[in-house]
């Protein structure tokens, strides 16, 4: 589908990152979702089916290849990032 002057139509993926495995932008666009949906693994799996979200098997396989020597992020650090995401929209 083409928009004005050969550009992608609104809502269509642009540029070299037009992944075929991603869901259509119109139905799953973040602006159409509630906070609870945006926080769910199910939503992100629908957006990008190849994304590993809360995938314990993948995490175990990755950890076996390169053991983690220390905790990557503490609960406090994660809570801080979540708070900034909710308040500012980015962290």
């Amino acid at each position: 589908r083409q928009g004005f002057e050969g550009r992608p139509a609104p809502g269509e993926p642009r540029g070299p990152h037009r992944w075929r495995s991603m869901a259509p932008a119109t139905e799953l666009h973040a602006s159409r979702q509630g906070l609870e949906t945006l926080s769910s693994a199910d939503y992100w799996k629908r957006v990008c089916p190849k994304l590993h979200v809360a995938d314990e098997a993948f995490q175990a396989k990755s950890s076996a290849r390169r053991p983690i020597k220390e905790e990557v992020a503490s609960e406090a650090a994660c809570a801080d990032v979540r708070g900034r995401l909710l308040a500012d929209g980015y962290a």
Side-chain angles (χ1 to χ4, degrees), residues 80-91:
D80 178 57
V81 170
R82 185 176 190 280
R84 287 185 285 139
L85 283 168
L86 294 173
D88 304 328
Y90 63 92

Side-chain angles (χ1 to χ4, degrees), residues 15-86:
H17 59 277
R18 295 180 188 185
W19 298 300
R20 298 283 181 228
S21 64
M22 292 189 69
T26 53
E27 72 183 65
L28 292 174
H29 194 275
S31 66
R32 295 182 179 202
Q33 312 304 318
L35 182 58
E36 190 171 321
T37 299
L38 290 173
S39 299
S40 75
D42 238 15
Y43 169 74
W44 292 104
K45 288 176 184 177
R46 287 188 354 235
V47 170
C48 185
K50 293 183 180 182
L51 184 64
H52 295 279
V53 181
D55 185 341
E56 292 179 13
F58 177 79
Q59 292 169 2
K61 183 178 173 183
S62 296
S63 294
R65 279 187 272 154
R66 184 178 44 165
I68 298 172
K69 294 179 182 168
E70 59 186 60
E71 191 174 342
V72 175
S74 67
E75 284 189 42
C78 290
D80 178 57
V81 170
R82 185 176 190 280
R84 287 185 285 139
L85 283 168
L86 294 173

